[in-house]
Amino acid sequence: MIGEYCRRLGIDGAVRDAALRAFQTCSTLEYAAQAAAKVNVIAAFLEEGIAEHDLAGTTGYGYDDAARAHYESLLARILGAERALARLSFVSGTHAIVAALAACTPPGRTLLSITGKPYDTLRNAIAQAPFSLVENGIEYREVAFPCPSIPQGASIPQHDDAIPQHDYAIPQHDDAIPQHDGVFDLEAIARELENEKLATIFVQRSRGYAPRPSVGIAQCEQVFAFIKSRRPDVAILVDNCYGELVEEREPSHAGADLVMGSLIKNLGGSLAPGGGYVAGRADLVERVAARVYAPGLGDALGPTFGLGRALIQGLFLAPLIVEQCLRGLDFAAAVFAGLGFPVDPLPGCVRTDIVQAIRLGTAARLERFAQALQTAMPVNARFRPEPGPVPGYVDPVIMSSGAFVSGATIELSCDAPLREPFEVYLQGGVIAEHTMVGVLVAARSLLE
C-alpha cells in the first residue's frame, strides 16, 4: 500500500525507504486500549437504551431535551463520572475549562497548576487577558513540570539536503516503559499544599504547545493520591483534551474531581459539530452549570437544535476514530525518526493523547511542513497556510487544517508556534491512510 502511495505521489529515495520501513514496523503494533474502549462504549449504549425518537432534540430553552440527557448520561458512564454537562453553548475546550476553573475557585482563593504553564490561550484567560480570573480576584500559581518531552541534547538535521537516517527500537510488549515519564515535582507540590487558600489544582494532560510530555492516567493517579492524602478538600480539575479514549481509563477513574474538554476532538468521532463538556463530581458539575447558565436553573436547559444525533453517533464511533489517529501518528513518528528528526512519542511507545511532536529545528521547516500537509487535506487543500497572529498566543503560529468541522483536531491537522525549539504538533487523522499520505508529502517537502 505504501509503495503504491509513493508511486502515485512521485515519492522516492530516503522518504520512500523510511516510509516502507515505518509501515512494516507499525503493522505489528496493537491498540489494546482502543479495543477496551470499544467494549466500554458499546456497553454504555446498551445500558442507556436510546430510542430513535430521543434523537430529535429541541429548540428554544431546551427543556426536557432527550438527546442532551442521554448524551450526558453516556458521557458520565464512559468517563467514570457522577454527572456530565455537555453543551453546544461551550464553544471550545478552553471555554469549558475556564468555566470550570472559575466555578470551583472562589475570589480570594488560589488556583494551582501542577503541570507548569498551560497552553497559551488558557494561560491568557487565567492570568493575562482583560477580565481574566486573576483580575476577578483569584490567585494563580504554577509548579514547573520538569521533564522535557525530547532530550535537550537530541540531534536535529542541520542541512536540508543531508538528513541522516537512524534506527529506532519499537517496544514489543504492552507493558513497555514510555519514552518519558513526565515526573511531577512532588516537593514543590507539597509546599503549595500548605497554602490554606488553595481551592483548586489544575492538570493539563496534553503537551499543548510546550516541549514536555503528555501525562498518563497512571501518573495522574499517583499524584492525585499524593494530593488527596494531604488536602482532601482541594478539587482536582483535569484538562482532558486530546486524551479521551486513548488509554483504558480516564482521569475520573484515577481520582480527578472534574474533567473538561472539547466535543470536536476525541469524543466527537469527527461528527460532533461543536461543543464542550465538564464531567465528574455531581456537586462540582452543578456549580459549573450555575455559572454557565444561572443559579437555580442548573442544567435544566440547553437545546440541541436537532444535532443530538450527530453528537451521539460521533460518540459511538469515537473509539474507532481514536484508534485510526494513533495508527497514523505511529507511522508519522516512525517516518520522521527514520529520517533523523527527534520525535515524541517514539513509534510504538505508550501514548496518552492524539498529538505527535516532531522537532524540526527551524522556522522555515515548520512552514514547509504545514504547507505541504495542507495539500493533503480533504478541504482547502489549495490554500497555503502562513504564520500569523492568533488571539491568545504570544508568538506567530502556523496551522494546517482542512476539516469538515472547523477546528476539529480529531481530523488531521498540525500546529506550530514559531519559537524555539521549533516543534510541530501533528494531531488527529480519522483515517490512518490519510495521515500516512499527509506524512509522505510533508516529509518530501523537507528533503526537497
Side-chain angles (χ1 to χ4, degrees):
M1 180 185 70
I2 291 298
E4 178 63 13
Y5 285 148
C6 289
R7 185 188 68 80
R8 291 195 177 197
L9 295 168
I11 292 173
D12 55 17
V15 174
R16 183 179 183 276
D17 292 344
L20 291 172
R21 292 171 55 235
F23 185 77
Q24 181 178 9
T25 301
C26 292
S27 64
T28 65
L29 299 179
E30 297 182 358
Y31 297 86
Q34 284 61 61
K38 292 171 189 174
V39 172
N40 293 337
V41 169
I42 292 170
F45 271 82
L46 295 179
E47 293 167 0
E48 188 66 27
I50 299 172
E52 185 175 0
H53 59 76
D54 293 326
L55 304 177
T58 59
T59 58
Y61 295 126
Y63 291 128
D64 303 316
D65 190 307
R68 184 192 70 223
H70 281 296
Y71 185 67
E72 291 179 342
S73 178
L74 285 165
L75 277 185
R77 293 177 192 273
I78 293 166
L79 297 175
E82 294 178 0
R83 183 175 169 186
L85 182 75
R87 302 300 163 98
L88 293 168
S89 52
F90 284 130
V91 297
S92 67
T94 300
H95 184 186
I97 293 164
V98 172
L101 294 176
C104 296
T105 316
R109 303 290 297 277
T110 302
L111 164 64
L112 171 68
S113 169
I114 62 171
T115 45
K117 292 183 179 181
Y119 61 92
D120 299 46
T121 50
L122 180 58
R123 194 172 195 276
N124 192 45
I126 291 172
Q128 297 167 329
F131 316 113
S132 67
L133 301 188
V134 169
E135 193 172 294
N136 281 286
I138 292 174
E139 181 188 26
Y140 174 65
R141 297 179 61 81
E142 294 173 345
V143 170
F145 195 64
C147 181
S149 66
I150 298 174
Q152 295 301 310
S155 62
I156 298 174
Q158 298 301 310
H159 304 288
D160 293 339
D161 58 350
I163 296 179
Q165 297 186 54
H166 297 294
D167 291 328
Y168 47 84
I170 304 293
Q172 299 301 313
H173 306 288
D174 291 339
D175 58 352
I177 298 174
Q179 185 183 4
H180 299 292
D181 289 332
V183 180
F184 285 94
D185 189 340
L186 296 182
E187 289 186 9
I189 292 172
R191 289 193 297 270
E192 293 290 344
L193 292 176
E194 297 175 2
N195 177 5
E196 295 182 355
K197 296 192 300 179
L198 183 63
T200 309
I201 285 178
F202 173 72
V203 174
Q204 179 183 305
R205 285 193 63 203
S206 189
R207 70 185 67 236
Y209 282 171
R212 60 95 157 167
S214 301
V215 183
I217 298 300
Q219 297 161 326
C220 286
E221 189 166 41
Q222 292 175 358
V223 75
F224 295 170
F226 177 82
I227 292 166
K228 290 296 185 180
S229 69
R230 290 158 175 78
R231 289 293 301 273
D233 59 307
V234 171
I236 299 173
L237 276 62
V238 179
D239 169 9
N240 206 26
C241 284
Y242 302 103
E244 300 94 343
L245 305 179
V246 175
E247 299 185 74
E248 291 192 18
R249 298 185 299 158
E250 299 295 330
S252 296
H253 298 124
D257 295 297
L258 277 185
V259 294
M260 305 83 68
S262 168
L263 297 181
I264 59 171
K265 294 185 173 69
N266 303 32
L267 294 175
S270 79
L271 295 182
Y277 75 92
V278 175
R281 275 172 40 191
D283 62 317
L284 297 184
V285 173
E286 179 63 28
R287 278 199 214 178
V288 178
R291 184 186 185 277
V292 171
Y293 295 104
L297 293 178
D299 64 353
L301 42 76
T304 55
F305 301 111
L307 297 172
R309 183 185 302 272
L311 292 169
I312 292 170
Q313 186 178 7
L315 182 58
F316 185 73
L317 296 175
L320 174 64
I321 299 302
V322 169
E323 180 181 324
Q324 289 293 302
C325 290
L326 301 183
R327 289 184 183 278
L329 294 178
D330 272 324
F331 177 80
V335 168
F336 281 95
L339 292 172
F341 290 95
V343 300
D344 186 65
L346 281 170
C349 282
V350 176
R351 289 185 179 271
T352 61
D353 63 11
I354 58 162
V355 180
Q356 177 66 48
I358 305 168
R359 185 166 295 181
L360 298 180
T362 70
R365 286 189 185 137
L366 292 180
E367 291 187 37
R368 290 211 302 276
F369 183 103
Q371 289 166 356
L373 188 68
Q374 187 69 35
T375 66
M377 294 299 173
V379 179
N380 293 337
R382 288 167 176 74
F383 285 26
R384 178 185 173 89
E386 297 286 349
V390 176
Y393 292 89
V394 175
D395 303 288
V397 176
I398 188 166
M399 300 180 178
S400 175
S401 177
F404 293 99
V405 175
S406 180
T409 46
I410 189 65
E411 301 183 54
L412 182 63
S413 65
C414 76
D415 298 79
L418 268 65
R419 64 186 180 215
E420 294 284 355
F422 298 110
E423 288 184 356
V424 66
Y425 303 104
L426 187 68
Q427 302 150 162
V430 299
I431 303 174
E433 288 79 5
H434 176 228
T435 302
M436 293 174 187
V437 169
V439 166
L440 290 174
V441 297
R444 176 178 61 186
S445 74
L446 298 178
L447 270 67
E448 286 181 339

